[in-house]
Amino acid sequence: MIEIEVQNETHQTQELIRFAAVPRIGEGIRLREPDGVWASYDVLDVWYQKAEFGDVWVPFLHIRITPGEGVVAGEEGDEDSSHMLHGEGQFASLAGEAEPFKI
């Protein structure tokens, strides 16, 4: 088992999860939401950083919920949440964009 730090862009969280293999960019993974429901996430980025000990490289994942999988935080009040372009307003402007994770 490989322990990987997963940075979740959807919920702005970081956690260590064990995998049998390192997922690749573009693959989907299933994770449990904070409310206990399973959801699909897309792997946006995979990178490796050298560990503080020995000649070991540690993998990191950057993920985001798969579009159409669930309601993203802050969109619960969207009156037209059933259309195909759900959440398109987030892409119209960079204002209010979340800060990247700091490691």
Side-chain angles (χ1 to χ4, degrees), residues 6 32 55 74 97:
V6 177
R32 195 173 296 225
D55 214 10
E97 186 172 323

Side-chain angles (χ1 to χ4, degrees), residues 19-64:
F19 289 87
V22 179
R24 295 179 293 185
I25 295 173
E27 285 186 337
I29 58 174
R30 299 282 290 172
L31 296 175
R32 195 173 296 225
E33 291 281 292
D35 61 1
V37 177
W38 289 92
S40 293
Y41 286 83
D42 294 328
V43 176
L44 301 176
D45 194 17
V46 178
W47 71 95
Y48 296 83
Q49 292 181 349
K50 192 167 184 177
E52 295 177 5
F53 54 89
D55 214 10
V56 178
W57 290 84
V58 181
F60 289 82
L61 289 179
H62 185 203
I63 63 170
R64 177 176 40 204

Side-chain angles (χ1 to χ4, degrees), residues 87-100:
E88 69 188 46
Q90 295 177 353
F91 300 104
S93 171
L94 296 177
E97 186 172 323
E99 291 290 321

